[in-house]
């Protein structure tokens, strides 16, 4: 998926990331770092596609996990918080 993203084939990247999310939800459940990272990666694709609303929804899910499990000072939490600010502006 990230290779497709790098090639700017965003629809293909999104399709693969959504499959990865489904797989990770099935295998690990909603409270797993892989799932949170899937949400974060999906958010970046939606942002690149110009869909800020869906990007924000995906970022919020990732942020909630990172904050709860890693705390406010963790790089993932802080980075996702920065992205939320960017998406909302």
């Amino acid at each position: 998926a990230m290779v497709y993203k790098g090639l700017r084939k965003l629809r293909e990247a999104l399709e693969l990331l959504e499959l990865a999310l489904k797989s990770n939800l099935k295998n690990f459940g909603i409270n797993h770092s892989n799932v949170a990272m899937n949400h974060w990666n999906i958010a970046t694709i939606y942002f690149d596609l110009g869909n800020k609303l869906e990007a924000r929804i995906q970022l919020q899910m990732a942020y909630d996990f990172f904050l709860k499990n890693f705390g406010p000072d963790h790089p993932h939490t802080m980075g996702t918080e920065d992205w939320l600010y960017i998406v909302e502006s």
Side-chain angles (χ1 to χ4, degrees):
M2 302 318 287
V3 170
Y4 276 134
K5 183 180 180 193
L7 294 171
R8 304 301 299 161
K9 294 184 176 191
L10 300 177
R11 301 273 179 214
E12 292 89 342
L14 182 59
E15 184 179 326
L16 290 176
L17 286 169
E18 288 175 342
L19 285 173
L21 174 61
K22 286 179 186 179
S23 176
N24 284 328
L25 283 168
K26 179 181 175 185
N27 291 315
F28 303 120
I30 196 163
N31 291 315
H32 194 276
S33 59
N34 286 3
V35 171
M37 288 305 299
N38 287 144
H39 286 301
W40 191 90
N41 285 319
I42 289 170
T44 65
I45 299 292
Y46 277 120
F47 183 81
D48 288 347
L49 288 170
N51 188 340
K52 287 186 173 185
L53 176 61
E54 190 59 37
R56 187 190 185 296
I57 291 168
Q58 296 292 325
L59 284 169
Q60 190 65 56
M61 287 189 274
Y63 179 77
D64 291 345
F65 174 87
F66 295 143
L67 182 62
K68 177 182 174 185
N69 293 284
F70 299 155
D73 297 325
H74 191 277
H76 287 346
T77 308
M78 293 188 302
T80 306
E81 186 175 36
D82 290 345
W83 265 94
L84 280 167
Y85 177 77
I86 291 167
V87 167
E88 291 173 356
S89 60

